[in-house]
Amino acid sequence: MAAGSARYVRYILIAFFVLAVFYFVSDSSNPVRVNPELLKPGGTTAEQHKATPGKDAQTPVNPHHDGADHTATKEKPKTPKVGANLDPAEYPLAMTPNDPGFNDLNTGIAEGPRVNATFVTLARNSDVWEIAESIRQVEDRFNRRYGYDWVFLNDQEFDETFKKVTTSLCSGKTHYGLIAKEHWSFPPHIDQEKAKKVREDMKERKIIYGDSISYRHMCRFESGFFFRQPLMMNYEYYWRVEPSVKLFCDIHYDPFRFMHENGKKYSFVLSLYEYIETIPTLWDSVKKFMKNHPEHIAEDNSMGFLSDDGGETYNKCHFWSNFEIGSLEWLRSKAYTDYFESLDQDGGFFYERWGDAPVHSIAAALMLPKEQIHFFNDIAYWHVPFTHCPTGEKLRMDLKCHCNPKDNFDWKGYSCMFPPILHFKKDILLTC
Ligand SMILES: Nc1nc2c(ncn2[C@@H]2O[C@H](COP(=O)(O)OP(=O)(O)OP(=O)(O)O)[C@@H](O)[C@H]2O)c(=O)[nH]1
Ligand SMILES: [Mg+2]
């Protein structure tokens, strides 16, 4: 009996021993329990990006951080210093490879001041996968280091899929706004019969979007209302992003800061001629506005970009507004809102098919001094069917661009870059 118990005790001890060995072996075979990204100095995850304050907060720099790699000693990662109140002079913009910080693309969140700015997208729920592509491009090439917010606007409620997909892709906070009916409908002064006849006629003449009511609401909304949506009232600058656009080069500096610190109010990457069938009387309306409001016309304006005969006729040149970085405060100014009200009263959004691109461009060219309009040569961009790709090889290599310079639209026949180069000579040649 005693010998039998001893044998049981031996079995139990052996079982304990085997279990202990098994536990230690399995534990040491999987030593990486921490996301390695988190061990890198300044390493980021989507969650960390979200936690990063976009504009107001100021977080202290780790006083022990000396720039060395402490991964091996598992020193806590440095907390990036970000905030609206930081001195821009201490964080110069990395505009060229010689500037400090140019090579910091993979060291996590960019330190320095932030501007009160947001991305903004008007979209339908059905645009979700196309806007997902655009967001991914913008985040990969720029915003993953900055965490700027993103505002989505729609004339219908956004659905859960749209919100879930876009929020998962954006590094900053996301906001979803429903557009008020009066900003997406016919104003009372529009004669419905007349507007209907125009649509039927344009359909027959096969004018693109000529028979569409929603396209007209979209153009009027982008011309006169997006910047006064309640969500947009929280910001001073915007960057417009449309579904299915591409960015081809890394952006090493903060374009919002560039705009703010250089007093720029409007910017573009592509300019071209408008389809005249869509705006036959737009210039007459503009001339009426200029006559009624000479006080809003800038002295050093860009009439030479819009007209080849001193303002008598419009040459159809405009900045392509599916890409814009601009000042919301300028769009909310009395000058711009007087301009929009005047055009809106004339009814061309519905009696013709005025696009927001010529509407914004004419306003910028007439009401802003030349030096407040900027051409971002280094932001390489595609919206079907046109590409802006910097032609300078060194710039493309420095910015790791993946566009073919032969696709660059700037010098092609339908582009308006030739007049702006002449007209904005001083600005463009010095800044690109
Ligand atoms: N919510 C909403 N958004 C719209 C509607 N129509 C267009 N949009 C958005 O308005 C912007 C411009 O519309 P697009 O259809 O891209 O117009 P476009 O750029 O002139 O034409 P494309 O060459 O087709 O891109 C895009 O961001 C669209 O997602 C609409 O009826 N409702
Ligand atoms: Mg588009």
Side-chain angles (χ1 to χ4, degrees):
M1 185 66 199
S5 319
R7 199 167 61 232
Y8 284 129
V9 169
R10 241 190 348 263
Y11 288 158
I12 289 167
L13 284 175
I14 288 168
F16 267 123
F17 178 73
V18 169
L19 280 174
V21 168
F22 182 75
Y23 172 78
F24 283 116
V25 168
S26 67
D27 189 48
S28 61
S29 68
N30 186 20
V32 183
R33 295 178 160 238
V34 179
N35 179 350
E37 278 295 300
L38 294 175
L39 296 176
K40 286 186 200 159
T44 60
T45 68
E47 280 318 301
Q48 280 179 313
H49 270 310
K50 289 234 164 31
T52 302
K55 38 189 200 270
D56 296 325
Q58 230 176 319
T59 43
V61 179
N62 177 348
H64 305 299
H65 185 78
D66 56 7
D69 184 353
H70 294 289
T71 308
T73 56
K74 294 194 179 172
E75 184 169 303
K76 270 195 176 170
K78 174 186 151 188
T79 311
K81 200 173 180 186
V82 169
N85 304 324
L86 298 177
D87 179 3
E90 282 183 35
Y91 303 89
L93 294 169
M95 305 293 292
T96 75
N98 303 325
D99 295 332
F102 189 86
N103 294 318
D104 289 354
L105 288 194
N106 297 316
T107 56
I109 292 166
E111 294 207 313
R114 294 289 190 269
V115 174
N116 186 11
T118 185
F119 291 93
V120 59
T121 294
L122 172 69
R124 295 155 287 215
N125 286 311
S126 58
D127 293 320
V128 61
W129 299 112
E130 287 76 19
I131 195 60
E133 266 182 66
S134 304
I135 295 171
R136 187 69 213 208
Q137 305 255 335
V138 170
E139 290 291 337
D140 286 354
R141 289 298 197 168
F142 167 66
N143 200 42
R144 68 194 165 86
R145 298 173 60 225
Y146 292 87
Y148 279 107
D149 295 357
W150 207 303
V151 171
F152 296 91
L153 300 171
N154 191 352
D155 58 307
Q156 312 275 318
E157 287 284 2
F158 280 112
D159 63 27
E160 283 312 308
T161 304
F162 190 99
K163 290 193 215 172
K164 196 159 57 169
V165 170
T166 51
T167 294
S168 76
L169 291 168
C170 291
S171 57
K173 288 192 189 127
T174 48
H175 303 279
Y176 300 88
L178 177 64
I179 297 165
K181 257 273 158 293
E182 62 269 27
H183 294 166
W184 195 278
S185 50
F186 292 92
H189 63 274
I190 293 297
D191 175 341
Q192 290 291 341
E193 270 312 300
K194 184 174 164 186
K196 186 161 169 252
K197 282 208 181 84
V198 169
R199 292 196 299 276
E200 286 164 0
D201 173 59
M202 284 197 175
K203 185 176 183 180
E204 250 170 52
R205 291 193 287 140
K206 297 194 171 31
I207 293 173
I208 184 165
Y209 299 120
D211 61 337
S212 170
I213 295 179
S214 66
Y215 193 85
R216 285 181 170 80
H217 290 323
M218 180 276 284
C219 290
R220 180 169 175 263
F221 175 79
E222 293 286 26
S223 297
F225 300 110
F226 85 90
F227 47 86
R228 359 185 193 177
Q229 294 306 290
L231 287 171
M232 297 301 287
M233 296 303 285
N234 299 323
Y235 302 97
E236 289 164 39
Y237 291 86
Y238 71 102
W239 180 333
R240 175 168 164 184
V241 178
E242 280 204 3
S244 292
V245 299
K246 295 189 207 305
L247 287 184
F248 295 112
C249 304
D250 284 336
I251 300 173
H252 290 247
Y253 63 91
D254 178 350
F256 288 125
R257 265 188 69 194
F258 177 87
M259 297 287 291
H260 180 63
E261 289 166 23
N262 292 284
K264 305 284 183 191
K265 299 279 166 60
Y266 191 82
S267 67
F268 69 99
V269 289
L270 283 161
S271 67
L272 63 159
Y273 294 96
E274 181 57 302
Y275 190 20
I276 193 66
E277 317 298 334
T278 64
I279 51 156
T281 68
L282 175 60
W283 194 247
D284 293 336
S285 279
V286 170
K287 287 207 283 192
K288 185 169 99 185
F289 166 75
M290 286 195 283
K291 194 160 163 253
N292 291 342
H293 290 283
E295 76 280 12
H296 292 329
I297 307 303
E299 217 165 89
D300 185 22
N301 63 51
S302 307
M303 179 63 95
F305 170 62
L306 302 173
S307 173
D308 305 327
D309 52 18
E312 192 47 39
T313 59
Y314 178 37
N315 63 15
K316 299 170 279 175
C317 280
H318 65 287
F319 309 123
W320 219 20
S321 62
N322 49 64
F323 169 98
E324 283 177 332
I325 304 175
S327 160
L328 291 163
E329 301 206 318
W330 170 59
L331 291 173
R332 292 191 284 251
S333 70
K334 178 145 173 51
Y336 186 86
T337 49
D338 280 352
Y339 165 81
F340 173 73
E341 300 305 332
S342 171
L343 262 47
D344 197 32
Q345 279 305 314
D346 290 343
F349 291 106
F350 299 101
Y351 300 145
E352 297 179 2
R353 207 220 64 195
W354 294 352
D356 53 279
V359 170
H360 285 187
S361 306
I362 291 171
L366 294 180
M367 297 194 278
L368 295 175
K370 256 184 237 167
E371 70 273 6
Q372 293 184 356
I373 301 177
H374 183 67
F375 167 53
F376 276 110
N377 183 48
D378 48 4
I379 299 188
Y381 175 81
W382 178 85
H383 174 294
V384 64
F386 300 122
T387 300
H388 168 67
C389 180
T391 48
E393 188 178 39
K394 182 166 184 322
L395 182 61
R396 281 201 321 280
M397 298 298 122
D398 287 342
L399 304 183
K400 296 195 172 21
C401 304
H402 70 280
C403 52
N404 180 346
K406 287 197 183 126
D407 294 337
N408 183 36
F409 175 67
D410 297 357
W411 307 109
K412 298 193 175 161
Y414 199 55
S415 164
C416 261
M417 273 314 276
F418 191 55
I421 282 287
L422 288 182
H423 186 70
F424 296 120
K425 203 167 190 164
K426 180 176 59 128
D427 301 28
I428 289 180
L429 295 185
L430 290 181
T431 54
C432 67

